[in-house]
Amino acid sequence: MARSSATRRLLSSIRSKTNTVSLLIFDGGAMPPSAGGRRAMSTAARAKEDNEAWWKESLERMRNIGISAHIDSGKTTLTERVLFYTGRIHEIHEVRGRDGVGAKMDSMDLEREKGITIQSAATYCTWNGYQINIIDTPGHVDFTIEVERALRVLDGAILVLCSVGGVQSQSITVDRQMRRYEVPRLAFINKLDRMGADPWKVLNQARSKLRHHSAAVQIPIGLEEEFQGLVDLVELKSYYFHGANGENVVASDIPSNLEASAVEKRRELIEVVSEVDDQLAEIFLNDEPMSPRDLKMAIRRATIARKFVPVLYGKRIQKQDVLYMLTAYNLSLQGVQPLLDGVLDYLPCPTEVENHALDQNNSEERVLLSGTPAGSLVALAFKLEEGRFGQLTYLRIYEGVIKKGEYIVNINTGKKIKVPRLVRMHSNEMEDIQEAYAGQIVAVFGVDCASGDTFTNGSVRYTMTSMNVPEPVMSLAVSPVSKDSGGQFSKALNRFTKEDPTFRVGLDAESGQVCYV
């Protein structure tokens, strides 16, 4: 039937006023959303996409690393220089506290007095737009549990080796711990200015004693007193460190006397990485042009897959100043800035590491966590401390978001707890924050738990796998000084047991004494 002129004019008028015509068809099905509903849905979808893009970029620009080594290899010194060169602190202090201040990460009086790290300490800094969360760990075997629980929650690590001492007993121990928790790592050979420094000997020791599939990504320009800088084998540039504390890095061409050595070592690097990376092997075997980016991405893939350990170098400068009666030192450490670049280039971000939880509702079936803020909250309490404001609980957030004032559930005890205060740690200093998301390491106050407990928002019953706890090697019998103090005595032992997984308390059946190991 032909349309009337009035109908045609009406349709023409409608089409001239709008580009979209919505037709409602009543056939027993659901009605399509209105234009306003579609706009709301579109806005919500765009907001979700923007939010996902934000946290994806944020996680890609995050690194969680630990620094581990044998005693006196320079872990805390390295951390101190990292904080200085990233602008987190503004003065460099000597580890043993000879200047009356001491290193930032050794906040305990006993640590500064003895010049050693006793407990692991967390901090954070920013380098080239990336956030780096750092845990400095002890080197003494007496405090090996601190290394265990730090490596349990980290995505990457730096293994510091002395260029004179080489691979030592505790170097083997911490490397074994890194393997246990499948932590990708860099090796940093330190103290190239010391007499007898031999970085190539240390590299061969790492290959033979630690079974590292490794190669140098740098070569030093001189050794001992003749150390001048580093040659980057990936970018084929040399770097020199100027300024009072080596803070000014100057890039230059490779010295002519090192060109042949650089070409040889770069080829060795390419060959070693090609053995474990198919993409680089294809380029290498086909004799195709290889850009610095090709090599860098291959090193990154192999390192994250734990098939390769890049080796970088550094020099500790410790010159005595006669004017200060041998008590003042120039305490710069050359090679830290390229090491930080190596952390960004080669170590994984939180989403590049697989973390699994155990589903308590499904016979402890392993569940792969997304590692993003979009999922349900899953956080692990890996370290407890008794602070000025009560128990301080360190958390690694594996999934979801935690907010101040919200309730979380301790899956191990079933208790629902409110988060009264949420902080980020800078050694013994605290910065209050309102929320934290997946990938971050934070601390909370007023949360009753034990080391190793898992927290969620209650929507899932996941627990994280426990850390390895070494067996005790000594035991002591103790008793309260009086019967009246028995309650406080038991309370103190209970607190120690919560804080330290290696601390175990029992009652000797024969003597009736309380024993701890």
Side-chain angles (χ1 to χ4, degrees):
M1 182 182 294
R3 290 174 176 168
S4 65
S5 58
T7 302
R8 287 195 298 271
R9 285 196 300 272
L10 178 60
L11 290 173
S12 176
S13 174
I14 292 174
R15 292 191 182 101
S16 67
K17 292 180 181 179
T18 179
N19 293 325
T20 305
V21 179
S22 298
L23 300 179
L24 303 183
I25 304 176
F26 299 94
D27 61 352
M31 293 172 57
S34 64
R38 287 197 303 274
R39 283 196 297 271
M41 290 174 62
S42 177
T43 303
R46 283 197 301 269
K48 183 180 179 181
E49 289 177 0
D50 292 343
N51 191 40
E52 289 180 353
W54 173 84
W55 61 249
K56 184 178 180 181
E57 182 181 0
S58 178
L59 289 174
E60 287 175 352
R61 289 184 167 270
M62 183 184 297
R63 301 289 184 271
N64 293 314
I65 65 168
I67 300 178
S68 300
H70 185 79
I71 310 155
D72 291 333
S73 294
K75 303 175 300 301
T76 304
T77 298
L78 175 59
T79 309
E80 184 86 352
R81 294 349 173 235
V82 166
L83 295 177
F84 176 77
Y85 294 130
T86 57
R88 198 70 181 85
I89 60 176
H90 305 292
E91 291 181 341
I92 296 177
H93 294 286
E94 214 267 325
V95 170
R96 293 190 180 273
R98 293 175 184 171
D99 55 1
V101 179
K104 179 66 183 177
M105 301 305 288
D106 286 344
S107 58
M108 294 174 59
D109 292 336
L110 188 60
E111 288 179 320
R112 294 180 177 181
E113 178 186 339
K114 301 295 183 181
I116 63 171
T117 301
I118 295 175
Q119 62 178 7
S120 58
T123 186
Y124 62 96
C125 59
T126 303
W127 180 252
N128 291 344
Y130 285 71
Q131 178 186 316
I132 304 176
N133 298 314
I134 304 172
I135 297 182
D136 178 35
T137 63
H140 288 68
V141 68
D142 301 341
F143 315 115
T144 190
I145 187 61
E146 293 287 325
V147 185
E148 287 279 351
R149 55 181 163 196
L151 291 175
R152 171 63 185 81
V153 299
L154 293 172
D155 303 322
I158 299 173
L159 176 63
V160 182
L161 301 170
C162 176
S163 61
V164 178
V167 175
Q168 298 166 280
S169 59
Q170 194 65 7
S171 307
I172 298 172
T173 300
V174 297
D175 186 75
R176 187 186 303 120
Q177 292 168 321
M178 292 176 185
R179 290 179 186 274
R180 180 181 297 128
Y181 298 110
E182 300 181 344
V183 178
R185 54 202 173 279
L186 310 177
F188 183 68
I189 299 179
N190 194 14
K191 304 182 181 181
L192 294 182
D193 57 320
R194 285 186 60 185
M195 185 175 294
D198 189 347
W200 306 113
K201 179 194 72 174
V202 179
L203 173 57
N204 289 330
Q205 285 181 352
R207 290 170 173 170
S208 60
K209 293 185 178 181
L210 302 178
R211 304 188 307 279
H212 282 182
H213 187 77
S214 59
V217 297
Q218 301 169 342
I219 60 173
I221 304 174
L223 290 174
E224 300 178 356
E225 294 182 354
E226 297 179 358
F227 180 90
Q228 299 176 32
L230 297 167
V231 173
D232 187 331
L233 298 178
V234 177
E235 299 288 347
L236 288 177
K237 293 180 181 178
S238 62
Y239 294 100
Y240 300 90
F241 306 91
H242 300 301
N245 294 300
E247 63 270 26
N248 300 322
V249 182
V250 178
S252 181
D253 294 331
I254 300 175
S256 57
N257 63 324
L258 287 178
E259 286 181 353
S261 178
V263 170
E264 177 189 349
K265 292 296 182 183
R266 190 175 196 267
R267 183 176 181 83
E268 178 185 332
L269 171 64
I270 293 171
E271 289 176 352
V272 172
V273 178
S274 296
E275 292 177 9
V276 293
D277 186 81
D278 293 339
Q279 294 183 42
L280 189 70
E282 186 176 350
I283 297 174
F284 178 61
L285 293 175
N286 293 333
D287 204 19
E288 299 175 4
M290 184 180 299
S291 67
R293 176 173 172 78
D294 292 333
L295 181 54
K296 185 177 293 185
M297 295 307 296
I299 295 173
R300 178 178 179 81
R301 288 191 299 269
T303 303
I304 293 176
R306 304 184 307 281
K307 297 178 179 178
F308 178 71
V309 179
V311 177
L312 299 93
Y313 296 112
K315 169 188 175 182
R316 165 79 187 275
I317 302 176
Q318 183 167 322
K319 296 180 180 178
Q320 298 176 340
D321 191 336
V322 179
L323 295 177
Y324 285 88
M325 300 298 292
L326 306 183
T327 59
Y329 297 81
N330 175 1
L331 296 173
S332 64
L333 199 162
Q334 296 183 0
V336 173
Q337 296 94 327
L339 175 63
L340 286 169
D341 291 336
V343 168
L344 306 187
D345 292 336
Y346 306 134
L347 291 182
C349 69
T351 54
E352 292 175 309
V353 177
E354 289 189 358
N355 291 296
H356 293 85
L358 304 178
D359 189 351
Q360 299 302 314
N361 288 335
N362 195 13
S363 302
E364 295 193 348
E365 182 181 349
R366 281 166 59 89
V367 178
L368 178 63
L369 300 177
S370 67
T372 69
S376 301
L377 172 66
V378 180
L380 175 67
F382 67 94
K383 177 179 169 64
L384 307 183
E385 250 180 45
E386 193 66 27
R388 294 170 297 178
F389 307 101
Q391 180 176 296
L392 181 66
T393 304
Y394 288 78
L395 296 177
R396 163 66 197 265
I397 307 173
Y398 287 98
E399 192 172 271
V401 178
I402 186 171
K403 296 183 179 181
K404 177 183 176 181
E406 288 192 346
Y407 285 91
I408 57 177
V409 177
N410 186 334
I411 299 300
N412 298 74
T413 63
K415 292 182 179 179
K416 191 174 183 180
I417 307 165
K418 186 177 182 180
V419 180
R421 187 180 179 191
L422 189 64
V423 298
R424 295 178 69 187
M425 301 301 298
H426 176 44
S427 185
N428 60 336
E429 297 177 6
M430 305 169 198
E431 175 192 337
D432 283 280
I433 56 176
Q434 296 300 313
E435 66 178 21
Y437 54 88
Q440 291 187 318
I441 296 173
V442 295
V444 294
F445 276 106
V447 173
D448 183 28
C449 68
S451 183
D453 286 356
T454 302
F455 293 92
T456 73
N457 57 4
S459 61
V460 294
R461 293 193 68 245
Y462 293 165
T463 58
M464 301 302 297
T465 54
S466 59
M467 68 190 78
N468 179 70
V469 179
E471 289 298 318
V473 294
M474 62 176 292
S475 62
L476 291 172
V478 292
S479 59
V481 294
S482 66
K483 293 182 179 179
D484 296 337
S485 59
Q488 294 179 344
F489 180 72
S490 299
K491 186 177 180 181
L493 290 177
N494 185 50
R495 193 192 76 187
F496 295 153
T497 305
K498 281 185 175 182
E499 290 183 7
D500 187 352
T502 64
F503 189 89
R504 303 174 190 177
V505 179
L507 187 66
D508 187 271
E510 294 182 2
S511 65
Q513 290 179 311
V514 175
C515 299
Y516 72 88
V517 291

